[in-house]
Amino acid sequence: MTKYAVVDLEATSASHTSKIIQIGIAIVENGEIITTYQTDVNPHEDLDLHITLLTGITTAQLRRAPEFSVVLPTVAALLKDCVFVAHNVKFDYNLLARTFAQHGRQLEMARVDTVELARVFFPSLEKYGLETLSRVLNLQHQRPHEALSDAYATAELLITLQKKMRHLPKNVLTEILHHADNLIYETKVVISEQVARAKRQPVTMVKVNQISTLKVQIPENKNLVKKQFKQNLRLLRLDVRPQQLAFAALVKARLADPEVSFIEAPTGIGKTYAYLLTLLGQGHKIILSVPTKVLQDQVMQDLAPVFKAKFGVTFAKLLGKRNYISLEKFSKLLYKVNEGKHFEIFKMKVLVWLTETKTGELDELSLTMTRQGYLDQIRHTGKGHEGQLHWEQDFWQLTQKKARHAQVIVMNHAYLAERITDQTALFEDKVLVVDEAQQLFSVLENAQQKSVKVLDELVKVNAHTSQLQKRLLESLTYQLSRRQLNVDKIRLDAQELGLTAITDVLANPDDFVWLQHHLLKSSPEDFLNFAAILPRTTKTYLIGATLAMSEKQAVFPELLGFSDYTFDRIPQEKAENQLVFVATDSGDVTSLSPSEYAHFLAQRIQELAQVGKAMLVLFTSNENLTLTAQALAVAGVSFLQGDATVDAHRIKKKFDDQAQPILLASKKFWEGVDFDRHNELILVVTRLPFTVPDDILIRKYAKRFKNPFYEFSVPLATLQLKQALGRVNRRRDQKSLVVILDKRLAGKTYAKKMVSNLSQASQVSFDTFEAILAQAKAFL
């Protein structure tokens, strides 16, 4: 068997002129650590403070240490006949080889990088640093950045990787070996050694050629939920809460009504348990639609196992087809070569992932060193048929099969809007519950918009064909660059140039048309009529914490196209576990430059971080978020960045896994992402969430109201604020402190209306930031 020398070096710096200050070596043979070695090395120079802080090694300590020439014979003897292994092998090997050469010796060894192996064989992790891997894989790593501790943890990682390889189906590991020449240096040798020891196909897996997947069992569905709601609560050992009881009674009472039922109920009362237990107790199958994939995952992780264990009720999750891997596409890609090193490593990690995933959802794969284009090449199209290669393993069709057998189907609003008209059979004989229904508007709006990438169309035109072509292209380019678009002229030029994708977007002369991020978009004048696309025989509930514009206006049902409906409210109780503060000495958001405001926010965030709690910072624009992130980075503050481009699910998971994270979050986090893992939280609202006047929804709402700002924008901003407050107040034993850094809430005429509405749910106070900081430390 191959003998591996796992090496870690601590150095004076990370530069090419650095010197070794500590060496750690762990020898691995036959899957065991058989020898360890550590020594300090005198570099004959003083250490920088940051190296001492990082490693714990001091200049005084190294002055007593042997020179490298003294330890070289011992190190060389340990490395003899071994393969050199390190976590980021390029740094450690090159530094050691250079130091050997400086002392007249050559270092020539095969090299293995555990970073690359970890990326392949642990394909779902977000990070591959040694500290992260040690925590996730339970490796012994007591003193990070001490050479022997790092070497020992890396040796355990190597052994763990070897075990993982041996437990893979042989066909999978053999296929991985075919792509392993793309790994750095001689890293392939570890895989090659394990192929002979790999297991045959386990009975729990399905094998087709090089691909092995878990056998998917369709669980038996039983509905043992009792008719009496209180009895179900007792079985779940949950407390009886008056508001939850009232809500459950209302759901049951409205079940007999043929009309669509709107129910407005506050957050934190246990709505989800209430409607699920009530409807299941009456023997119904349920389709539950929630705003985002993040909330879908929360339902599947937090509720589905409980209902299965206690009541035998099976849940199934449905996503759009592009969220799933196409095994047919992937199997064809395996035969393609010359796709580049990183794409080959991507194929290897997908092969491993396929032996582990139960869902085939591409979101499970780590995005580390993985381009979005790689994933796009293996996304499912929703097409396929029995008898097709990999059909038995096809995750898309298996998901549909699970849904047909499930008592509760969980989807998101986007999937609901996309499939409700072409999957009518799915909705038959079921109750549809649309939770956080106020978020339907943006989803339905996106569903009816048309768009085209302008640059993709313009490059199709050959301006050298004729002078006419050239003039038309110049005219079209000019028209598309204007702030006020001349839609008729754009349509005419596009027709003349044969750009049908542009003319299709502009086909309806009454549509709203605008240009956004190089996309030409159009949308009908009115809202998508949700009432018209709902199956008539499906009993439907639309539920949310904020469904009415005011006490007198329940405008949302009409905007969704409903004329015949019921609307009920569960009264809001003031939360005692949440305090809301408006900082009266905040900067003037309307007069400060974006850069000045970002520095102001960065300072406030740093001061609040001293409280030592998890912090969510909500922004209304990506520009402000980016500028604030830059200011915090300069100040050396660690934070997560949840801008418009990131996957909210991945960022939320990182936030939940950290003790005192700071998340700078874009508009997508104002609603649809629940922060329920931390017991104490600080929420910072950087600016009142007024929608910009040219937003497409505002332009549509403007047609319905005499004074759109007071009658719509102010109530909508209040609703969004209430939703934001609800994001960090998910349970009674969770405490949250909200700091609003927009002093307009303390002075403007419309502010009184907003504060009055907010005060129904939370205690709202006005004070200086310094006073708020003191109260935050006392409250949390």
Side-chain angles (χ1 to χ4, degrees):
M1 293 295 290
T2 305
K3 189 160 68 168
Y4 298 94
V6 185
V7 180
D8 185 82
L9 306 177
E10 300 302 327
T12 54
S13 70
S15 73
H16 66 282
T17 60
S18 62
K19 295 179 180 179
I20 297 171
I21 60 174
Q22 196 175 70
I23 302 171
I25 301 175
I27 304 298
V28 174
E29 191 172 19
N30 291 323
E32 293 183 357
I33 298 170
I34 58 171
T35 307
T36 61
Y37 170 80
Q38 176 168 296
T39 182
D40 293 342
V41 178
N42 190 343
H44 293 288
E45 65 179 62
D46 291 346
L47 293 184
D48 289 342
L49 177 62
H50 78 275
I51 295 295
T52 295
L53 292 174
L54 180 69
T55 64
I57 302 169
T58 65
T59 299
Q61 174 184 337
L62 295 180
R63 284 177 182 156
R64 300 189 298 271
E67 296 182 350
F68 186 80
S69 59
V70 176
V71 302
L72 190 153
T74 305
V75 171
L78 282 166
L79 298 182
K80 187 180 178 183
D81 300 326
C82 289
V83 171
F84 189 101
V85 180
H87 204 65
N88 187 15
V89 72
K90 189 174 183 179
F91 172 81
D92 294 279
Y93 185 85
N94 287 352
L95 175 56
L96 191 59
R98 189 176 75 242
T99 309
F100 264 54
Q102 289 166 355
H103 291 79
R105 297 281 294 268
Q106 276 194 320
L107 183 68
E108 292 184 357
M109 301 175 68
R111 290 154 289 178
V112 167
D113 192 349
T114 51
V115 175
E116 292 221 333
L117 287 173
R119 280 177 54 200
V120 170
F121 291 97
F122 297 105
S124 300
L125 300 181
E126 291 294 333
K127 294 181 179 179
Y128 294 94
L130 190 56
E131 288 186 57
T132 299
L133 290 167
S134 298
R135 186 182 72 252
V136 173
L137 302 176
N138 198 26
L139 309 176
Q140 189 173 322
H141 194 206
Q142 296 173 344
R143 298 175 299 281
H145 301 295
E146 181 184 277
L148 182 56
S149 180
D150 285 0
Y152 201 94
T154 305
E156 287 197 335
L157 173 60
L158 175 65
I159 294 167
T160 302
L161 284 161
Q162 291 173 322
K163 288 178 182 176
K164 179 86 182 273
M165 293 174 201
R166 290 197 296 274
H167 282 83
L168 285 172
K170 192 160 191 172
N171 67 312
V172 172
L173 196 59
T174 302
E175 180 62 26
I176 288 171
L177 186 62
H178 290 158
H179 303 268
D181 284 328
N182 293 278
L183 296 170
I184 194 170
Y185 303 131
E186 294 77 33
T187 300
K188 174 183 177 178
V189 300
V190 182
I191 303 172
S192 181
E193 186 179 52
Q194 300 303 319
V195 166
R197 304 177 66 189
K199 290 192 172 184
R200 296 286 173 183
Q201 189 73 23
V203 294
T204 56
M205 306 201 94
V206 179
K207 169 191 168 185
V208 178
N209 297 337
Q210 313 94 324
I211 295 173
S212 291
T213 57
L214 291 171
K215 279 184 181 175
V216 175
Q217 303 293 329
I218 305 298
E220 182 185 2
N221 181 64
K222 301 175 184 175
N223 184 0
L224 303 178
V225 179
K226 310 296 182 185
K227 288 187 176 183
Q228 295 299 320
F229 180 66
K230 286 184 180 180
Q231 191 176 353
N232 292 318
L233 289 182
R234 283 195 295 272
L235 289 170
L236 293 169
R237 296 182 179 178
L238 295 174
D239 294 334
V240 176
R241 292 184 269 175
Q243 284 183 298
Q244 187 185 43
L245 284 177
F247 176 77
L250 198 50
V251 170
K252 184 177 180 180
R254 291 300 184 193
L255 190 55
D257 294 339
E259 303 92 351
V260 169
S261 299
F262 287 81
I263 305 177
E264 184 179 88
T267 58
I269 67 166
K271 292 194 297 288
T272 312
Y273 270 114
Y275 58 65
L276 287 175
L277 291 172
T278 300
L279 296 172
L280 290 170
Q282 299 302 309
H284 292 282
K285 288 190 173 184
I286 301 169
I287 293 181
L288 170 59
S289 180
V290 294
T292 62
K293 288 195 288 183
V294 177
L295 287 179
Q296 271 183 286
D297 289 336
Q298 284 183 214
V299 170
M300 296 303 295
Q301 291 164 14
D302 298 343
L303 295 180
V306 174
F307 276 78
K308 184 64 181 172
K310 291 290 184 180
F311 305 112
V313 171
T314 301
F315 283 54
K317 179 171 72 167
L318 283 180
L319 294 168
K321 53 186 178 288
R322 284 176 53 80
N323 290 278
Y324 300 92
I325 186 172
S326 165
L327 294 178
E328 185 184 25
K329 284 184 178 180
F330 178 64
S331 64
K332 290 176 181 176
L333 276 181
L334 287 175
Y335 293 105
K336 288 189 177 182
V337 292
N338 301 322
E339 298 281 349
K341 168 189 165 177
H342 290 305
F343 194 70
E344 292 301 307
I345 292 175
F346 170 71
K347 293 177 187 176
M348 295 161 70
K349 77 177 188 179
V350 172
L351 283 164
V352 176
W353 171 68
L354 286 171
T355 68
E356 301 170 346
T357 180
K358 295 179 181 179
T359 67
E361 294 171 21
L362 291 170
D363 279 352
E364 294 175 2
L365 277 169
S366 169
L367 292 179
T368 303
M369 304 295 286
T370 299
R371 296 175 188 166
Q372 201 60 236
Y374 297 171
L375 296 172
D376 290 342
Q377 291 191 53
I378 58 173
R379 292 190 186 280
H380 212 292
T381 60
K383 297 176 182 176
H385 55 82
E386 198 163 349
Q388 178 181 293
L389 190 66
H390 301 294
W391 180 251
E392 185 186 354
Q393 300 166 297
D394 186 83
F395 289 103
W396 167 249
Q397 71 92 8
L398 286 169
T399 298
Q400 302 295 315
K401 190 174 180 180
K402 284 181 190 175
R404 289 194 293 272
H405 288 81
Q407 191 78 19
V408 180
I409 299 171
V410 186
M411 59 180 64
N412 58 59
H413 292 351
Y415 185 91
L416 176 67
E418 176 189 345
R419 306 314 298 264
I420 197 168
T421 54
D422 63 1
Q423 276 195 326
T424 51
L426 181 68
F427 293 85
E428 289 177 2
D429 303 318
K430 297 183 184 73
V431 175
L432 172 61
V433 178
V434 182
D435 206 344
E436 301 210 32
Q438 70 280 356
Q439 295 184 46
L440 270 177
F441 290 107
S442 56
V443 173
L444 295 174
E445 174 55 36
N446 289 335
Q448 66 173 347
Q449 286 180 11
K450 292 188 287 187
S451 66
V452 60
K453 290 183 178 178
V454 170
L455 295 178
D456 287 356
E457 294 304 300
L458 295 181
V459 296
K460 294 177 182 178
V461 180
N462 185 354
H464 302 293
T465 304
S466 67
Q467 280 296 112
L468 176 60
Q469 288 279 97
K470 183 179 179 181
R471 285 199 301 272
L472 285 169
L473 181 60
E474 288 173 350
S475 171
L476 180 57
T477 304
Y478 168 70
Q479 293 297 336
L480 289 168
S481 68
R482 295 178 62 189
R483 182 174 177 81
Q484 191 69 38
L485 297 178
N486 185 333
V487 177
D488 292 335
K489 185 71 173 78
I490 293 170
R491 187 187 299 108
L492 186 61
D493 287 345
Q495 283 175 340
E496 292 288 333
L497 291 167
L499 300 177
T500 54
I502 291 179
T503 55
D504 287 347
V505 170
L506 305 178
N508 189 342
D510 296 324
D511 283 357
F512 288 108
V513 177
W514 71 102
L515 200 61
Q516 183 180 27
H517 305 308
H518 305 294
L519 285 175
L520 185 66
K521 294 186 172 186
S522 68
S523 178
E525 278 191 305
D526 211 344
F527 303 98
L528 182 64
N529 191 327
F530 185 63
I533 63 176
L534 265 182
R536 292 184 181 277
T537 58
T538 302
K539 173 61 188 178
T540 302
Y541 293 87
L542 288 100
I543 293 167
T546 47
L547 295 181
M549 302 299 289
S550 69
E551 291 295 325
K552 297 179 181 178
Q553 287 181 299
V555 177
F556 281 9
E558 284 84 359
L559 294 178
L560 289 170
F562 293 101
S563 56
D564 192 15
Y565 61 90
T566 61
F567 194 102
D568 298 288
R569 280 193 181 93
I570 299 295
Q572 175 80 58
E573 289 182 354
K574 190 166 289 191
E576 295 181 0
N577 59 335
Q578 184 177 70
L579 296 182
V580 179
F581 288 97
V582 180
T584 54
D585 55 351
S586 294
D588 187 346
V589 297
T590 60
S591 62
L592 290 175
S593 71
S595 178
E596 290 170 335
Y597 193 58
H599 280 87
F600 160 75
L601 291 175
Q603 182 60 40
R604 291 294 188 251
I605 291 167
Q606 290 176 76
E607 292 174 89
L608 283 166
Q610 298 304 310
V611 180
K613 302 297 177 185
M615 190 188 317
L616 171 65
V617 187
L618 292 177
F619 291 81
T620 59
S621 84
N622 282 315
E623 181 191 17
N624 280 340
L625 190 157
T626 302
L627 290 172
T628 305
Q630 290 169 356
L632 287 172
V634 169
V637 177
S638 177
F639 58 88
L640 301 169
Q641 189 165 338
D643 58 28
T645 62
V646 304
D647 185 311
H649 172 75
R650 292 177 188 273
I651 292 293
K652 164 75 162 51
K653 189 174 183 301
K654 288 181 181 180
F655 185 88
D656 288 344
D657 289 343
Q658 295 181 22
Q660 297 172 14
I662 298 173
L663 171 58
L664 310 185
S666 62
K667 292 245 352 184
K668 70 166 72 172
F669 288 87
W670 284 74
E671 49 191 35
V673 183
D674 292 343
F675 293 88
D676 57 350
R677 289 292 189 267
H678 291 88
N679 291 326
E680 297 187 319
L681 282 145
I682 295 173
L683 168 66
V684 180
V685 177
T686 59
R687 193 167 185 156
L688 296 179
F690 288 117
T691 311
V692 293
D694 59 350
D695 180 273
I696 184 61
L697 285 174
I698 290 294
R699 290 164 69 183
K700 292 186 177 186
Y701 291 135
K703 292 196 163 195
R704 301 284 191 101
F705 298 92
K706 292 179 181 178
N707 188 332
F709 179 73
Y710 280 98
E711 294 182 48
F712 180 77
S713 293
V714 170
L716 183 63
T718 309
L719 290 185
Q720 290 184 318
L721 267 178
K722 289 173 73 175
Q723 287 168 17
L725 269 55
R727 300 276 71 82
V728 295
N729 186 16
R730 306 310 303 170
R731 45 192 169 82
R732 290 187 172 187
D733 60 346
Q734 182 181 41
K735 280 179 140 185
S736 55
L737 182 121
V738 182
V739 183
I740 301 174
L741 296 176
D742 190 336
K743 65 181 181 182
R744 289 179 295 176
L745 201 57
K748 293 286 186 180
T749 51
Y750 58 76
K752 293 179 181 178
K753 187 176 181 181
M754 296 180 77
V755 171
S756 174
N757 200 318
L758 290 175
S759 297
Q760 295 173 14
S762 303
Q763 179 183 323
V764 181
S765 303
F766 298 84
D767 220 325
T768 63
F769 184 78
E770 187 177 351
I772 293 170
L773 202 57
Q775 292 181 74
K777 292 173 181 176
F779 180 64
L780 298 176

